[in-house]
Amino acid sequence: MGDEAGPELTANVQRALRVMEAAGAHAAEVPVQQLAREAGLPLATVQRLLKALARDGYLTELDDGAFTLFPDRSSLEQLDRVRPVLTSLRDELSAAVYLTLYEEGEIRVMEIADSAQAPRVDRWVGFQDAGHATALGKSVLREMDGKARAEYFSRHSLTGLTPRTITRREELLRQLDSSPAAPVVMDREEYARGTTCVAVPVYSGDQIGSLGISFRSDRMYRTSRVRAGLLSSAMRVTMGLSLPD
C-alpha cells in the first residue's frame, strides 16, 4: 500500500507547489480561476488544494474568495509579538498550542506552535466548521452575547464529528453558560478521538479569540498547572495583540 500511495503523494505535493508558486508570483490576492490557469491545473483540483493550503496556514483565504501568500502586515506584526508566548507555553506544558481569532463570522486558527514532542491534532475538519466541537471554538462562543451566537449558529450546523460531539444547540449552550471552571473550556474527544483540548479566551482589542492546547487523552495533566499556564499566557497574548502597530 505504501508503494502505491507514494507516487500519488508526490504528485499532490508537486501540484500544491505549483499552486503556491502561482500565488507567490503576485503581491496581492489572486482569484481562484487565475491561479488555476497559471498553475496549469483543473479548477476543481486547485480549489481543493487551496482549501487544504489555507487550512494549514500556507495561504490566506480572503473574504471575496481570493487567496494570497502574503497575509496582512499588521497581522504578521501581531503574531510576531505573541509567537514567543505560544512557544513558551508549548514547552512548559509539552503540548501543541493554538491561537484563534473570530474574524468575519468565522473562528480562524491564526497560529500553531507544535513540535515533534508536542504534535498538533490532525485537522481533518477545518476548525472554522467545528467551533461547537473544539475547546478553542467553544471558548469563543462562550464569550459571545446571544445575538452573536444566534448569528453564528445560523451559518454553522452542529455536525457530529465523534460520538462525544454535542450536536444539540440547547445542550451546548447549557454547557457554555454553566462551566464551573470558567473561563477555562474543554473538549474531551469531541473533535477527534483520543485528543483532549483546553482553551481560554484572548482579545485583540475588542476582537474575541482563544488560546488553547491539545494533547492525547491518555496523558495525565495537573489541572491547576494547565489552568495557570493558559491564563497567564492568555493575558500576555491579549496584551501583544492589542498593542498598536
Side-chain angles (χ1 to χ4, degrees):
M1 182 178 295
D3 293 339
E4 294 174 358
E8 179 57 29
L9 177 60
T10 300
N12 275 332
V13 171
Q14 291 173 338
R15 287 191 286 265
L17 288 173
R18 286 164 65 183
V19 171
M20 291 194 64
E21 287 174 358
H26 300 270
E29 64 270 17
V30 191
V32 177
Q33 294 82 355
Q34 182 177 348
L35 284 177
R37 289 195 302 270
E38 295 180 359
L41 295 169
L43 179 60
T45 299
V46 172
Q47 289 174 324
R48 174 177 57 80
L49 289 171
L50 287 171
K51 291 293 185 182
L53 290 168
R55 184 176 64 244
D56 291 335
Y58 295 105
L59 294 174
T60 298
E61 183 176 6
L62 304 176
D63 296 335
D64 59 2
F67 289 80
T68 178
L69 193 62
F70 305 97
D72 178 72
R73 184 170 297 278
S74 62
S75 297
L76 289 175
E77 291 172 352
Q78 287 178 323
L79 291 176
D80 284 342
R81 288 198 293 261
V82 304
R83 195 170 283 118
V85 182
L86 308 186
T87 302
S88 177
L89 182 63
R90 177 200 67 193
D91 295 341
E92 176 189 349
L93 298 180
S94 299
V97 177
Y98 309 78
L99 173 66
T100 78
L101 286 175
Y102 189 61
E103 292 189 331
E104 301 296 333
E106 299 294 346
I107 301 169
R108 303 186 188 280
V109 176
M110 309 302 293
E111 186 75 4
I112 300 176
D114 62 349
S115 66
Q117 293 72 36
R120 68 182 67 184
V121 66
D122 179 17
R123 294 167 62 187
W124 69 285
V125 175
F127 279 16
Q128 65 186 44
D129 296 319
H132 65 293
T134 66
L136 291 159
K138 289 196 287 186
S139 180
V140 172
L141 290 169
R142 188 183 181 281
E143 298 300 304
M144 290 180 180
D145 60 25
K147 181 179 179 181
R149 285 179 180 174
E151 195 276 332
Y152 177 86
F153 288 129
S154 71
R155 297 179 293 101
H156 296 84
S157 59
L158 305 188
T159 305
L161 304 180
T162 76
R164 296 193 176 189
T165 305
I166 298 174
T167 57
R168 294 181 62 250
R169 185 187 305 187
E170 296 78 10
E171 181 182 354
L172 178 61
L173 293 177
R174 278 198 302 272
Q175 184 193 81
L176 296 178
D177 293 334
S178 63
S179 175
V184 179
V185 177
M186 296 186 67
D187 85 73
R188 296 178 177 86
E189 303 187 15
E190 295 169 43
Y191 174 76
R193 294 190 184 193
T195 298
T196 292
C197 182
V198 187
V200 296
V202 296
Y203 285 87
S204 176
D206 59 358
Q207 183 181 15
I208 182 63
S210 59
L211 175 70
I213 63 169
S214 70
F215 51 89
R216 282 173 35 187
S217 297
D218 60 359
R219 288 188 60 179
M220 298 297 293
Y221 269 99
R222 287 178 56 193
T223 303
S224 59
R225 181 186 176 198
V226 170
R227 179 186 175 90
L230 278 171
L231 290 175
S232 174
S233 297
M235 181 176 64
R236 295 165 60 196
V237 167
T238 292
M239 291 176 61
L241 293 178
S242 301
L243 287 172
D245 295 320

